Structure formats: structure tokens, C-alpha cells
Amino acid sequence: MGHPPLEFSDCYSDSPDFRETLKCYELELHRTSKFLKELIKDGNSVINAIKGYSVAVQKLSQTLGVFQFDVIGDSLTDDEINIAQSFQEFAVLLQEAEHDRMMLVQNASDLLIKPLEKFRKEQIALTKEKRKKFEKEGEKYYSQLDKHLNLSAKKKESQLQEADEVLCKERVNFYESSVEYVYQIHQVQDRKKFDVVEPTRNHYESTREEMEDLMKRMKRSSQICKRPSWLPMAGYLYCQEKWALGVTWVKYYCKYRTEGRLLLMVPCEQKPTAKQGPTQLTLKSCVRRKTDSIDKRFCFDVEVNERNTPVTFQALSEGDRKLWMEAMDGKDPIYHSPIHKQAEMELNETGFTFVRMCVDYVEEKGLTQEGVYRTVGSNIQVQKLLNAFFDPANSADVDLRAGDWDVKTVTSAMKFYLRSLSEPLMTYDLHRDLLLAAKSDSLDFRLSEIHSLAYKLPERNREMLEMLLKHLAAVCGRSRDNLMTPSNMAVIYGPTLMRAKEETVAAMLDIKFQNIVVEILIEEYKKIFSHAPEDSNAPPVPPPRITPRKRQPITISKRPPRLYPPPSHERFVQQRRRTENGASSDSAVDGDASASPVPLQRTKSSNCPPLVPREAPRKQAPLCRAANVDASRVERPESSSSPNGERGPPVGRVASFRGRRPPTKGDCDGPSRAGRATPVCRPPVRPPEPPSRQPAGGDASAASYVASKAKFFENASRNVSSLAALQTPSAATNEKKES
């Protein structure tokens, strides 16, 4: 049974038919190897058997050659002589026969068995090695091809070029191993003939030389992937298919015949549960896929009669895609909108007709479709519909019902037209006013302002807006079925009907207010377009915000801060003079207070006389505990701290010296006698106010606050004088050193 020929050109297509033919040759080679193995085994068995038989015969001949009958007497009779000669002649005959037999066996071993063993060991083993190399290079190539086709088209150009070079190198290695493997198969098929039958060697030699020359020419890089013009276009393609778990890419071997525009798809990866047969599709059109529309490379879309949506294929390389596009009469995609002329970018009769036709079609077939206007249609179908309608030669002949268009294709085409207008439907002039109305807290003001602004649109814009909003209100009225509420619809049509003149960050942040405007227009469609707004000379002023801001900044009161003049010597003098004029005739307290500035004093109330500067106590030597001091009159001191962190002198209560610490260096003077004023040397810090005490039988006229303080310091000075006499000599000495 003959096999189909193996062509070197089939190595580059690596089709399933080529693989099946290879399997046939491999099975034949396996049977040949098995047959030769058995033949060599049986031949060696026969040769060994013949050699054993020959050895036995030769032994017999030797025995016969020396055999002789014993006779009685001195001489032999004629019969005895004849018997002895016959034995010897038979032995020689046996030796000659066995010699010829051994020559025949040796020739069989040298000319048949050994060549077969050599053929099996060399040629068949070499073919197996070529097969292993072919399978190894094929596995490497297709593994690299899968990685290459999964590369994102958004990668850097340098990375893609490097990946292309790596794949090209692997492809060349695979094709070379495939050609060498096919050549070796032909070698085996021809050599097994003359290795058995010698006269065919000359014919084989001439055929081998021609085949080797053809193999060298086919291994050139210029011949790789070169398809004969008379053959139909064929090759591997990856088809995008939508399964239950998502989108996947399935590998097919495809054949395309120009006659009848038939595309035959043979799956390469069969499912283990069921074997899938070939699929035949009838081609309608072919368009190259835009690079930015899909993350894969080398893709193109094919429209077929058997499916409603285009089929997306991925070729193995850019050159392979060009071959498929040429065979299928493919076209490049439309990069720009068909509405590219200025006259077509405005609101005209063609645009009104197109929108009315789309509105009627959607209300007829798509009111209850879930996600209407949210789901988008195929880009190819949308461009095809726009090209068909806005072409001046075909616009009057377009009928959506006759073409059986998808609802999502029609809705996408209408949104595309509205977005392609040179100026949005709500115009740039009213954009800011509409946003300000949407930002108001008052719902009534929002509605009235948007109502008023809608009637400030140009006549054609308002007419198109009214027709569109009427349709959108009808669609939203069926929101239980299509799930498109006015809020959801506003998200879609907000950026379509309104847009800023310049794309800025602020404009992007205002998109949500555009959606609010469109949502109000849809919800209040009947109220807005049933009557014109009331005329008013002055534009309405938005009411103040009722609700507080959530992020109100923390600020100080807007009342201007109170300014206090800094303390100065003149201010102290003026206060002293005012004190002298309004104070009592207690000259012992006033003394020479003008000799040094004193800090301002806080007054109790307006009825009390003004305060006078308090005398600064003189520096007092360290005190020790006195044994003769009345313990009932001793209290803990109340001291003040100076600004530099040192402890100030204790402000005297009479009985406050028991727990007093010795003053440190730099402390102010201690208390002075009444009636004598000394300059103030301590910082201007107001000490704690002492309690007001009056001795028994005191003058009632000294009941004022200042008089009580003067009396307090007078009593304190007397106690200090009495305690000074009790100082130890060491304490007095320390006092002198410090002074």
C-alpha cells in the first residue's frame, strides 16, 4: 500500500495532514525495522544451523576417508579395493559439498545479514535521532510561539522586536529540523531497496543527489513560509471564543478557498470527552483589528453568515496576517469617524433623521432589554452603520429593520453621533450656568434654573434635546425591566450632552454635576418642556446654603483683635500720678515711688481706690528656726518664681518663715520697714495677694485694700527684725560674703 509523498514545502505549514503523513511513514519505518530485526535473527539462526551441519558432515567425511576393512591374507581382493576407494571418494565429495555450502553461508552472511544489520543500526537509528530532534525543536518553537502571542501589544517596541527575533530563530531551527527529518525518511525508503537488491543502487544514487540539492534549496531563509500561489491559503490561527468561564483562544488549522469564500477550521486541541469535527464558515468581510482595541497582536475580525458577531482571529506573525488579509480581501480599519466634514459635524436634517430612526428602533425592540444604552456594540458594526447612513449615496436607503441590527449597535451609533458634534448639545455658553444650578442646595432653585436655561438653547438644540429626553424618559419608565433608572441614564448621557470647552482637572471633577443636570432633565421632562419659564427681568439669585458644610475650617472670630500697648516708663509715671491724685493721704505707702517704674496692678472694682506700687523687700540673710517664736503664728511661705526660673523671695505672712529656704544668689531684697520706699529690683511679677487682716483695736479708716496690705508688710518687717538677732555666726558670715 502506497503513501502520499512528503513534500518539503509541507514542513513550513506543519499542517495536520502533514503530521498524519509523517505518522504513516513512521509506522512503516517501525514495521520495516521490526521485519529486518526478525529477518536478521532467523537468518543468523539458519546460518548457525548450516555451520553446525557442515561441521558434522566434514567430520563424517574425515571418518570415511580413513575407514578401511581388515582382510585375511596378504592381499586384497578386487571387491575390497573397490569398497575402500568408494569410501574415500565419498568423503572427498562430502568435503567439497560442505566447502561450497560454507562459501554460500558466508556470502549470505556478508551480503545479506550484515548489510541489513548495518542498515538497521545506521539508517533507522539515524532516522530516530532526526525524529527526536524534530520533536524537540517543535516543542521549543510552539512553546515560544504561545508566549509570543500572549505578549501585550502595549509593551515597548524594543521588547517586541527582541521577542520577534527570538521567535524567528526558533522557527528557523524548527523548519530546518523538519526538512532534515523528511529528507532522512526519503533516504530510508530508498536505501532499503538497494541494500537488499544491488542493481537498484545506480538509480538510487542519482535520485539521492537530486533530493539533497532540493533540500538545500528549501532550507534557505528565502523559501521559509513561501506559499505556492496555486495552493489555497492555509495555516494555524487562534480563534477567540467565549466560554462559560470567560474568553479563551483556541488553536485551529484553517483553510480558505476563494471559490465560495469558504473557511474550514480544524481544531488542533481535541477535548478528551468528545472529538470535535471541523467547522465551515462562509466569509462576508474581513477587517484588520486596531492595535489599541485589543491587547493581542496580529489580530483581524471576520464576519461570517453563520454567526451574528464577528469572529476574531490571531495570526502567528505580522507577515502571516498580511497573507490572510490578502487572501480574504481584507481591509484596514477606519481610524476616524465617518462624520469628518464640518457640515456633517453640525445639527442638520441628516442628523435629525438618524436620531429619529435610532429612537424609533430602540423603542420598538429595546425598551425592555437589560442595560440598554449601557452595553456597547461592536466597533466594526457601529462604524459600518455610520458609514452606511452618513454616506450621501446610501443615506436614504438605510433601513434598520431590514438589516436586523443589534440594539446595542444602534444605541452606540447614536451616542457616537451626539459626541461627535462640534459643540455639545447643551452648548459651551450655558455650561457654567448649568453647573452652578446643579451645585445649589435648593432643589426648587435647581429645577427653575435648569428650566430657564433649557429655553436659552438654540432652537435646533432645544428641539433635538426635547426629542432625546422624551425618548430617555420612556426608557427610564421601564426601569423595572431594563434596570436603567434616570440616575444610571444620566451617568451615560451626562458627558455626551455636556462637556467643558477645555479638558482640565476642574472639568473632570464637574462631571458628576453634569450627570445631575441630565438626571433632572429626564425626571422633570414633562414639567420643563410643557411650558416656557416665566419671564423675569432680573435673574434669580440662588438662596443661601441651608445645610452647613461638612468641612468648615476652624477660624477665630471675625472681630478685630484687641491691641495692648507695650509697657513703658511714661505709662508707669502717668499711672503713678493718677494714683497720687485719687489715693488717700497715706504718704508712708506712696513714699518715693516715682524713683523707679513699677508694673501695672489689677484693680478690684471701680469703687476701690487705685493701687500704688508695692515696696520691694530688701535682701534678707538666711534665717534659722527661732526657739522663742510663737509656733501658732508660723505658717508656710508662699513664694513666686521669676521669669528666669529662679525662686523669688517669699512674700511675707508673719508666720511664714518656718519652712523658708535660704535665698539664692540674685534674689531680691527682703521686706523693708514701713514708711521707707526702696527701688524695685525683682522682675515685675505680681505675687499672691495676702489675706486682709486687721489688728484688734485698729483704725476703721484703714479698712481699704491698700491700707490692709501696708499693715501686713509692717507687721512682717517687725517679725523679721526680731528673728535677725537669732542668726548664727556662720549664717551672718555667709550673709556678709553674699553682700
Side-chain angles (χ1 to χ4, degrees):
M1 181 179 179
H3 300 292
L6 277 175
E7 298 291 342
F8 289 115
S9 58
D10 295 338
C11 299
Y12 300 134
S13 63
D14 196 23
S15 62
D17 295 338
F18 171 73
R19 293 286 181 148
E20 289 295 330
T21 306
L22 273 182
K23 287 182 179 180
C24 294
Y25 278 90
E26 289 170 355
L27 290 174
E28 175 64 23
L29 189 63
H30 178 71
R31 287 195 296 267
T32 300
S33 177
K34 185 177 180 181
F35 169 74
L36 292 179
K37 183 179 180 180
E38 294 177 355
L39 178 62
I40 292 171
K41 180 181 178 181
D42 295 341
N44 288 328
S45 299
V46 172
I47 289 174
N48 293 331
I50 291 175
K51 286 182 179 180
Y53 172 75
S54 178
V55 170
V57 172
Q58 288 179 2
K59 186 177 180 181
L60 175 63
S61 66
Q62 292 176 0
T63 304
L64 291 175
V66 297
F67 180 77
Q68 187 176 3
F69 286 104
D70 293 336
V71 296
I72 301 174
D74 296 332
S75 60
L76 299 174
T77 62
D78 295 337
D79 294 334
E80 292 175 346
I81 294 172
N82 293 333
I83 290 172
Q85 290 178 352
S86 64
F87 278 121
Q88 293 177 356
E89 290 177 357
F90 184 65
V92 171
L93 180 62
L94 287 176
Q95 288 182 354
E96 292 179 353
E98 293 307 318
H99 181 266
D100 293 340
R101 191 193 305 277
M102 291 302 296
M103 290 182 61
L104 179 63
V105 170
Q106 188 65 33
N107 289 335
S109 177
D110 294 341
L111 300 178
L112 179 62
I113 302 300
K114 289 183 178 180
L116 291 179
E117 289 180 346
K118 181 180 179 181
F119 172 79
R120 183 172 177 271
K121 291 180 180 180
E122 294 181 359
Q123 298 299 323
I124 295 181
L126 181 61
T127 306
K128 291 181 178 179
E129 291 180 2
K130 295 291 184 180
R131 177 187 176 184
K132 290 181 180 178
K133 182 180 178 181
F134 167 72
E135 292 177 350
K136 182 179 179 180
E137 294 295 336
E139 184 178 355
K140 289 173 60 178
Y141 166 65
Y142 284 111
S143 176
Q144 185 65 33
L145 180 63
D146 291 338
K147 295 179 181 179
H148 185 71
L149 295 179
N150 288 327
L151 284 177
S152 174
K154 299 178 182 179
K155 286 187 174 294
K156 295 181 180 179
E157 189 65 24
S158 59
Q159 296 178 349
L160 296 178
Q161 290 179 359
E162 183 180 357
D164 292 342
E165 292 175 359
V166 173
L167 180 65
C168 182
K169 183 179 178 181
E170 295 294 339
R171 183 189 296 114
V172 170
N173 294 337
F174 169 64
Y175 288 160
E176 288 182 355
S177 63
S178 179
V179 170
E180 292 175 358
Y181 181 45
V182 170
Y183 173 75
Q184 183 62 29
I185 288 177
H186 284 293
Q187 288 282 93
V188 171
Q189 293 296 328
D190 291 338
R191 285 185 66 90
K192 71 181 181 181
K193 300 175 183 177
F194 76 83
D195 282 344
V196 179
V197 183
E198 184 67 20
T200 61
R201 179 180 293 273
N202 295 332
H203 177 68
Y204 163 75
E205 291 295 337
S206 61
T207 304
R208 186 186 63 81
E209 292 177 358
E210 294 178 359
M211 188 174 297
E212 186 176 359
D213 181 65
L214 178 61
M215 181 195 68
K216 292 180 180 179
R217 286 189 282 109
M218 293 300 295
K219 288 175 66 176
R220 296 173 185 171
S221 59
S222 59
Q223 297 294 327
I224 295 178
C225 297
K226 186 175 181 181
R227 183 179 63 89
S229 58
W230 52 272
L231 289 177
M233 183 63 196
Y236 287 99
L237 291 174
Y238 286 80
C239 179
Q240 186 184 40
E241 294 184 357
K242 296 181 180 180
W243 291 357
L245 299 178
V247 178
T248 184
W249 294 82
V250 182
K251 186 178 181 181
Y252 288 92
Y253 185 80
C254 302
K255 291 183 180 180
Y256 177 72
R257 296 186 178 276
T258 309
E259 305 85 1
R261 299 174 68 83
L262 297 177
L263 179 65
L264 183 65
M265 301 168 57
V266 180
C268 300
E269 301 173 357
Q270 296 290 346
K271 296 181 180 180
T273 55
K275 188 174 181 180
Q276 184 179 1
T279 304
Q280 183 170 320
L281 303 176
T282 304
L283 191 70
K284 294 170 61 178
S285 64
C286 175
V287 180
R288 182 173 63 85
R289 189 69 177 264
K290 290 183 181 180
T291 306
D292 56 354
S293 64
I294 193 170
D295 198 32
K296 298 282 187 177
R297 304 171 69 196
F298 322 129
C299 294
F300 59 94
D301 292 334
V302 174
E303 292 187 14
V304 295
N305 295 331
E306 289 77 8
R307 299 185 183 180
N308 297 328
T309 58
V311 183
T312 302
F313 289 100
Q314 183 183 19
L316 304 185
S317 63
E318 183 63 30
D320 192 30
R321 180 171 67 174
K322 290 181 179 179
L323 293 176
W324 282 103
M325 295 284 293
E326 291 175 0
M328 296 181 178
D329 296 330
K331 299 178 181 179
D332 288 334
I334 300 173
Y335 286 95
H336 300 286
S337 168
I339 316 172
H340 56 85
K341 297 180 182 179
Q342 185 65 23
E344 296 173 342
M345 296 288 285
E346 304 296 337
L347 284 174
N348 49 24
E349 292 300 329
T350 305
F352 272 88
T353 304
F354 178 71
V355 173
R356 289 193 191 97
M357 181 181 62
C358 294
V359 165
D360 295 341
Y361 189 81
V362 173
E363 290 183 353
E364 179 181 349
K365 294 189 175 183
L367 280 181
T368 59
Q369 181 175 339
E370 183 177 345
V372 62
Y373 283 108
R374 180 178 57 82
T375 56
V376 296
S378 171
N379 188 32
I380 297 177
Q381 296 292 328
V382 172
Q383 296 291 344
K384 184 177 180 180
L385 175 59
L386 293 172
N387 288 331
F389 190 87
F390 287 95
D391 187 2
N394 301 328
S395 60
D397 301 333
V398 176
D399 187 5
L400 296 179
R401 297 175 181 83
D404 195 17
W405 295 88
D406 289 340
V407 175
K408 57 185 179 181
T409 302
V410 177
T411 56
S412 298
M414 186 171 71
K415 290 186 295 183
F416 185 87
Y417 166 74
L418 294 173
R419 285 195 305 266
S420 300
L421 296 175
S422 58
E423 186 177 14
L425 199 63
M426 306 293 287
T427 70
Y428 292 128
D429 296 337
L430 300 178
H431 184 78
R432 182 175 178 275
D433 296 335
L434 289 168
L435 292 181
L436 290 177
K439 293 178 181 179
S440 174
D441 278 352
S442 175
L443 300 181
D444 295 335
F445 175 76
R446 287 186 190 179
L447 179 58
S448 62
E449 184 68 7
I450 293 175
H451 187 189
S452 176
L453 293 173
Y455 280 83
K456 293 182 180 180
L457 291 170
E459 186 66 26
R460 300 187 68 84
N461 292 52
R462 188 169 71 252
E463 182 181 352
M464 174 66 78
L465 181 64
E466 182 177 359
M467 177 178 61
L468 179 63
L469 291 176
K470 179 181 179 182
H471 166 65
L472 296 181
V475 174
C476 295
R478 305 293 296 273
S479 59
R480 290 188 177 181
D481 299 327
N482 54 38
L483 304 181
M484 294 303 296
T485 61
S487 177
N488 296 338
M489 192 69 73
V491 173
I492 298 170
Y493 270 95
T496 302
L497 302 181
M498 295 179 62
R499 65 176 181 270
K501 201 166 188 178
E502 296 180 358
E503 294 183 1
T504 60
V505 177
M508 295 175 62
L509 297 177
D510 286 338
I511 291 178
K512 55 181 176 293
F513 297 107
Q514 298 176 9
N515 301 342
I516 292 175
V517 172
V518 177
E519 182 179 359
I520 293 175
L521 289 172
I522 296 175
E523 289 180 342
E524 306 294 339
Y525 158 74
K526 294 182 179 180
K527 184 175 181 180
I528 292 176
F529 290 98
S530 60
H531 63 277
E534 298 179 358
D535 296 334
S536 60
N537 297 329
V541 179
R545 183 180 292 272
I546 300 174
T547 58
R549 296 182 181 272
K550 293 183 179 180
R551 295 185 180 181
Q552 185 174 3
I554 302 175
T555 59
I556 307 175
S557 174
K558 296 183 179 180
R559 183 179 59 185
R562 181 180 299 175
L563 300 177
Y564 295 94
S568 62
H569 176 69
E570 290 78 5
R571 183 176 180 83
F572 293 152
V573 173
Q574 293 176 5
Q575 184 177 2
R576 184 182 61 79
R577 290 175 180 175
R578 289 195 300 268
T579 305
E580 289 177 353
N581 297 330
S584 62
S585 58
D586 192 358
S587 59
V589 179
D590 293 341
D592 299 333
S594 61
S596 174
V598 294
L600 298 176
Q601 300 293 335
R602 186 181 301 172
T603 59
K604 287 285 184 176
S605 64
S606 59
N607 299 328
C608 299
L611 295 178
V612 295
R614 186 171 63 249
E615 298 175 359
R618 287 186 299 179
K619 185 175 182 181
Q620 182 69 25
L623 302 178
C624 61
R625 295 185 180 180
N628 57 353
V629 177
D630 189 5
S632 62
R633 301 181 61 186
V634 178
E635 298 178 2
R636 288 190 178 273
E638 296 182 4
S639 61
S640 60
S641 299
S642 61
N644 58 3
E646 297 178 351
R647 292 178 60 87
V651 179
R653 290 189 180 92
V654 175
S656 62
F657 297 101
R658 174 171 293 185
R660 179 179 176 183
R661 295 174 57 187
T664 58
K665 187 176 181 180
D667 286 345
C668 300
D669 296 337
S672 61
R673 290 184 178 89
R676 183 180 176 183
T678 58
V680 178
C681 64
R682 61 171 183 165
V685 178
R686 181 170 175 262
E689 297 178 357
S692 179
R693 294 182 181 177
Q694 284 188 356
D699 191 4
S701 62
S704 66
Y705 175 73
V706 178
S708 64
K709 290 177 65 176
K711 199 70 173 176
F712 169 78
F713 284 111
E714 183 179 357
N715 296 332
S717 62
R718 292 196 186 109
N719 289 311
V720 171
S721 299
S722 62
L723 291 174
L726 299 177
Q727 294 183 12
T728 61
S730 60
T733 305
N734 293 336
E735 180 182 4
K736 291 180 181 180
K737 290 181 180 181
E738 291 179 358
S739 62

